[in-house]
Amino acid sequence: MRSVAEFYQDCLGSARQQPPLDVQLSDAVGCVLAEEVQAPFDLPVANVAAGDGYAVRTADLAGANPDHPVTLQVTTEVRAGDVSPTVLVARSAVRIASGAPVPEGADAVVALEFTDHGVASVQVRTQPAVGENIRFQGEDVERGDIVLRPGTRVGARQVALLAGVGRSRVVVHPRPRVVVLSIGDELVEPGSKARPGTVFDANGHALTTAISDAGAEVFRVPAVPDNRSILKNTIEDQLVRADLIITTGGISYGSGDTVREVLGTLGTVRFDNVAAWPGHILGVGTVGDGTPIFCLPGDPVSAQVCFEVYVRPALRQMQGWAKLTRPSVQARVDRGWYSPRGRREFVRVRLVGDPRQGYQARVMGKPASLWLSALAASNALAIVPENVTNVRAGDALQCLVLD
């Protein structure tokens, strides 16, 4: 029997980091940078106005206030994108748009609201400070600065910076393509008519959501029956688009559980009894030309717990994340229960509280019962160590935070 830590390392060992790929900015969103990005020029590239107004010399506006405005002649107008040099002469102003280059000789920009919006001349009702409303060349980014480092997740803010320094492409660890296979003769699609002997495929839909939330691209295959030929052909068909395959069901020791036999002909997959609850039988390995595959239990609660504990960290590793696991906090449970000896138990709980006063964990349902309703109501997994058998009300347990 393998420990939780050993099986966790097996999963990480199978799911290697995605090789770097040069992509367009739109395809980089949600990915992790695999390169160091340097600024090829100053940002801003010149002294520019921080808002609409008038470029002025502060010395010309000494004493200006609402009761005693100062009138200046407006000599010209500068717009964003203008490249022709403009010079400001004494006792004059230049109408300027936000982002436009500041004329030579100007040392401030007066915002429109402190003027009468004049065209030929302008009345200014304030004395600006030197540098007011000017964004100076290189104050944001200087040429040669490292603006983004490897390991940074690319989101809207990072895209703005990348585009701002002229990058249309960037090297990232691409989002892995994950194929989800639910296996079992009894499985039918939600929305079908319920009938004796059938079970709705909760795993396929739940894991698809969890994988997408973890940042990967996911493909859900309709439920596959317990037929060796169909299962083998389905897995082989999916290898062309899969960076990782996840199966649920078909891995226990019953005669209808076909996954072990089929995977034995497609690759090298190890099935273990793991010292954990739920999810004590699991498989990990590779198929085809080295595509990693994780085999999870068919029970939906077990599958979701195992995904959080083993698969999600592996997915984050494939994407280049430095931190693989979810955050955890210590919380006191609201009641006691018996925990299986020699197994690390993951109990569905709902956390309340705050960092200053501490957290409490309300156990959802019966710890030994795999209820979907309890899973849906929980926001964390309380972890009971292998050497603890009797959990008492008020005991402090480490909890893996899901929401």
Side-chain angles (χ1 to χ4, degrees):
M1 181 177 292
R2 294 182 71 73
S3 69
V4 169
E6 288 171 336
F7 190 79
Y8 175 87
Q9 291 300 325
D10 290 344
C11 292
L12 295 185
S14 296
R16 303 288 184 183
Q17 189 177 84
Q18 293 282 86
L21 185 66
D22 185 274
V23 300
Q24 294 182 341
L25 284 188
S26 58
D27 295 325
V29 176
C31 298
V32 173
L33 274 179
E35 67 164 317
E36 187 176 81
V37 179
Q38 285 187 315
F41 48 75
D42 292 337
L43 193 66
V45 296
N47 297 343
V48 297
D52 295 336
Y54 295 86
V56 298
R57 300 194 322 166
T58 54
D60 293 336
L61 295 173
N65 60 61
D67 295 326
H68 299 91
V70 173
T71 301
L72 301 175
Q73 298 301 309
V74 178
T75 59
T76 188
E77 182 175 1
V78 182
R79 299 176 180 176
D82 284 349
V83 294
S84 299
T86 305
V87 178
L88 180 69
V89 299
R91 303 297 300 174
S92 68
V94 171
R95 182 74 179 258
I96 193 167
S98 178
V102 176
E104 183 181 345
D107 60 3
V109 172
V110 178
L112 285 177
E113 56 263 34
F114 297 108
T115 73
D116 65 352
H117 297 211
V119 177
S121 63
V122 60
Q123 286 191 341
V124 181
R125 300 188 299 271
T126 186
Q127 181 177 351
V130 173
E132 187 170 323
N133 293 321
I134 294 178
R135 295 177 59 217
F136 290 97
Q137 179 176 346
E139 73 172 24
D140 188 350
V141 172
E142 292 185 356
R143 179 179 178 179
D145 280 354
I146 298 171
V147 295
L148 290 172
R149 298 183 182 277
T152 303
R153 180 182 182 274
V154 180
R157 299 183 301 277
Q158 289 72 34
V159 167
L161 178 56
L162 288 165
V165 298
R167 295 291 295 268
S168 64
R169 305 182 68 88
V170 69
V171 180
V172 299
H173 297 289
R175 303 201 306 162
R177 299 163 300 172
V178 183
V179 172
V180 176
L181 291 171
S182 300
I183 301 166
D185 290 333
E186 74 281 8
L187 297 177
V188 296
E189 275 295 298
S192 305
K193 184 177 180 180
R195 61 182 187 274
T198 63
V199 176
F200 293 118
D201 180 19
N203 277 337
H205 292 276
L207 288 174
T208 295
T209 303
I211 292 164
S212 180
D213 285 346
E217 186 177 0
V218 60
F219 305 96
R220 187 182 75 86
V221 177
V224 180
D226 290 309
N227 179 291
R228 291 169 177 79
S229 177
I230 294 177
L231 178 57
K232 181 175 182 294
N233 290 337
T234 300
I235 293 176
E236 288 178 328
D237 288 345
Q238 296 302 317
L239 287 173
V240 68
R241 65 174 177 179
D243 297 312
L244 171 67
I245 295 176
I246 299 174
T247 70
T248 65
I251 60 174
S252 60
Y253 296 101
S255 59
D257 296 320
T258 59
V259 175
R260 295 168 183 262
E261 183 177 335
V262 169
L263 292 182
T265 66
L266 294 177
T268 303
V269 182
R270 173 174 174 166
F271 291 89
D272 285 298
N273 288 323
V274 180
W277 177 260
H280 61 287
I281 301 177
L282 299 165
V284 62
T286 59
V287 290
D289 292 329
T291 300
I293 186 168
F294 296 154
C295 302
L296 305 183
D299 176 80
V301 175
S302 297
Q304 286 291 295
V305 170
C306 291
F307 176 86
E308 289 293 338
V309 176
Y310 309 110
V311 182
R312 190 176 186 276
L315 279 176
R316 288 177 64 86
Q317 177 176 267
M318 294 179 74
Q319 295 172 81
W321 288 102
K323 184 172 178 56
L324 304 183
T325 59
R326 289 189 184 271
S328 64
V329 298
Q330 194 173 76
R332 297 191 178 278
V333 295
D334 65 336
R335 55 189 165 99
W337 68 90
Y338 172 79
S339 185
R341 182 182 299 275
R343 294 187 183 276
R344 187 176 300 184
E345 187 179 22
F346 299 90
V347 177
R348 283 67 60 203
V349 298
R350 184 160 194 84
L351 293 178
V352 296
D354 57 64
R356 290 176 299 176
Q357 298 182 357
Y359 294 96
Q360 297 77 47
R362 180 185 175 191
V363 178
M364 297 288 101
K366 298 178 180 179
S369 299
L370 303 179
W371 295 350
L372 283 173
S373 58
L375 177 67
S378 64
N379 61 7
L381 297 174
I383 304 171
V384 184
E386 292 86 342
N387 61 347
V388 175
T389 55
N390 291 305
V391 180
R392 297 168 298 183
D395 281 353
L397 296 177
Q398 205 67 23
C399 297
L400 195 68
V401 181
L402 304 180
D403 294 335

